[in-house]
Amino acid sequence: QAQLVESGGGSVQAGGSLRLSCTVSGYVDTDNCMAWFRQAPGKEREGVAAMNFGGGKQFYAASVKGRFTITRDNTKNTVYLQMNSLKPEDTGMYYCARDMFSCGGSWDRPTYNTWGQGTQVTVSS
């Protein structure tokens, strides 16, 4: 089974930036949807951003659109989440996940079957 490992989390002031990395080992198909989720204290897990591992359209939660960018680097077998203009409400544990299906309009769904261990993001006001 594929293994996903997140890194890049940390503590920043509001307005700052972080870039999260999800390194992939094992096999991930190019049409598998790769997504970033997050879970804030006392809140349900929510989808943040997604794209197919092979590239293509990027999808975002409304709350992060225009501030976050999901990309991938084939040479490093890594999916990134660039987070700019961070807000305190962005605080949470961020997870990388893989779905066997392609991304689409319903990418924030319960079918992701491979998850990383998470990386903590804390944004102070």
Side-chain angles (χ1 to χ4, degrees):
Q1 185 178 353
Q3 185 177 31
L4 311 177
V5 179
E6 302 97 332
S7 62
S11 298
V12 298
Q13 295 284 342
S17 298
L18 287 171
R19 187 176 71 169
L20 307 184
S21 299
C22 173
T23 58
V24 179
S25 61
Y27 180 75
V28 177
D29 196 89
T30 54
D31 60 3
N32 288 167
C33 187
M34 302 296 298
W36 287 96
F37 289 81
R38 69 186 181 189
Q39 187 166 21
K43 303 294 185 180
E44 293 185 354
R45 187 181 65 204
E46 63 177 343
V48 178
M51 69 181 301
N52 287 341
F53 191 63
K57 187 176 180 180
Q58 301 162 321
F59 301 86
Y60 299 97
S63 60
V64 307
K65 191 174 181 64
R67 299 188 297 119
F68 291 11
T69 305
I70 184 170
T71 59
R72 90 273 187 266
D73 185 340
N74 292 335
T75 66
K76 299 180 179 179
N77 213 30
T78 300
V79 179
Y80 300 98
L81 184 68
Q82 178 66 46
M83 305 185 295
N84 298 327
S85 301
L86 283 162
K87 304 175 180 179
E89 52 262 45
D90 295 317
T91 293
M93 186 71 72
Y94 283 69
Y95 300 91
C96 181
R98 188 279 303 273
D99 200 331
M100 294 295 293
F101 303 101
S102 297
C103 299
S106 299
W107 62 272
D108 187 359
R109 59 206 182 200
T111 55
Y112 292 83
N113 62 353
T114 305
W115 295 81
Q117 84 289 347
T119 185
Q120 178 68 38
V121 172
T122 302
V123 184
S124 301
S125 61

